[in-house]
Amino acid sequence: KWEGWVIVEREAKYDDRAFNFHGKPERPKSVGKLKPTLEGDFIARWDPDNDIGSYGKGKKSGGVGAANMYLWDPVKKEEVFICEVGGGLTDAQVKEFANPKRYPRVWVVEFVEWTPKGALWHATFLRERDDKTPEECEISQRPGTEEE
């Protein structure tokens, strides 16, 4: 049940009897895994007081917990909600991005794949782009959408 590209040590032994303290199978230390990822540019919005994104918890308290990601639909002339992204932000970015007046922003997001419903699977923040406008983050990058 390993997915992605798995690299193993040639002389190592692998079996189904390696378990951690929680009783779950644990990958041997001699195994490396590389999983292909995709990335895209998305419109980020954050205003948790108006149900757009969420505040962080714990050490992220008061900062960005997750921002909403959107893509621009040029035919309908509206933003289409894709998913929430909160992973990948540094502690400094959690605080820096916690100002609703500084949105919309364009974020580069890394993800594993598009879900059948058009959301992102395992999405994380990579970096911000200041050379692209929100209207340039078009919905045509989402599979199953065609420009009319």
Side-chain angles (χ1 to χ4, degrees), residues 15-145:
D15 58 30
D16 294 332
R17 292 181 175 41
F19 290 91
N20 64 20
F21 290 111
H22 303 291
K24 296 181 181 178
E26 192 172 84
R27 204 176 270 123
K29 290 181 180 173
S30 54
V31 172
K33 179 179 172 184
L34 175 64
K35 192 167 190 171
T37 59
L38 304 168
E39 63 180 61
D41 299 331
F42 296 86
I43 304 164
R45 291 193 175 274
W46 184 81
D47 189 359
D49 294 334
N50 290 307
D51 295 326
I52 301 170
S54 61
Y55 284 109
K57 297 177 181 172
K59 72 177 185 175
K60 291 184 176 184
S61 183
V64 175
N68 286 5
M69 297 296 113
Y70 300 86
L71 289 173
W72 179 251
D73 186 332
V75 175
K76 296 180 181 176
K77 304 231 183 291
E78 65 182 23
E79 293 177 0
V80 176
F81 176 75
I82 303 299
C83 67
E84 287 189 340
V85 172
L89 295 168
T90 65
D91 291 344
Q93 289 166 333
V94 165
K95 293 176 184 171
E96 175 192 345
F97 295 163
N99 182 350
K101 294 178 183 177
R102 297 188 62 207
Y103 289 85
R105 304 169 93 102
V106 175
W107 283 7
V108 180
V109 175
E110 181 181 58
F111 56 99
V112 174
E113 64 183 335
W114 290 92
T115 69
K117 292 185 177 183
L120 304 180
W121 186 260
H122 294 293
T124 57
F125 170 84
L126 277 183
R127 64 187 170 278
E128 186 173 24
R129 288 194 65 172
D130 57 6
D131 63 332
K132 194 169 190 178
T133 66
E135 292 78 20
E136 293 176 283
C137 301
E138 290 194 7
I139 193 128
S140 58
Q141 68 179 300
R142 185 172 81 178
T145 59

